Amino acid sequence: MTETRKEKVERLENALLEYIERHTKDTQPEIAATIPTVAMALVELWKII
């Protein structure tokens, strides 16, 4: 079955959220605070492409 664009975006969002949860625990708070914003910006860029 071929993934739809919506399914690909959802999969990307889920992967980014999982990455954020896994990596922000051991990251300096100032850097960790920027990760969700950057990740969601990447999702928005992906939607445009």
Side-chain angles (χ1 to χ4, degrees):
M1 180 176 120
T2 304
E3 273 188 311
T4 66
R5 185 170 185 82
K6 182 180 178 184
E7 290 169 332
K8 288 179 182 178
V9 170
E10 287 175 359
R11 188 166 50 86
L12 176 62
E13 288 174 343
N14 290 337
L16 284 170
L17 289 172
E18 181 180 325
Y19 177 87
I20 290 167
E21 287 177 15
R22 204 175 327 132
H23 289 88
T24 55
K25 293 175 188 153
D26 299 326
T27 305
Q28 294 178 8
E30 309 83 46
I31 296 170
T34 66
I35 293 173
T37 303
V38 172
M40 290 303 121
L42 289 172
V43 169
E44 291 305 315
L45 283 173
W46 176 258
K47 289 178 183 177
I48 295 170
I49 297 174

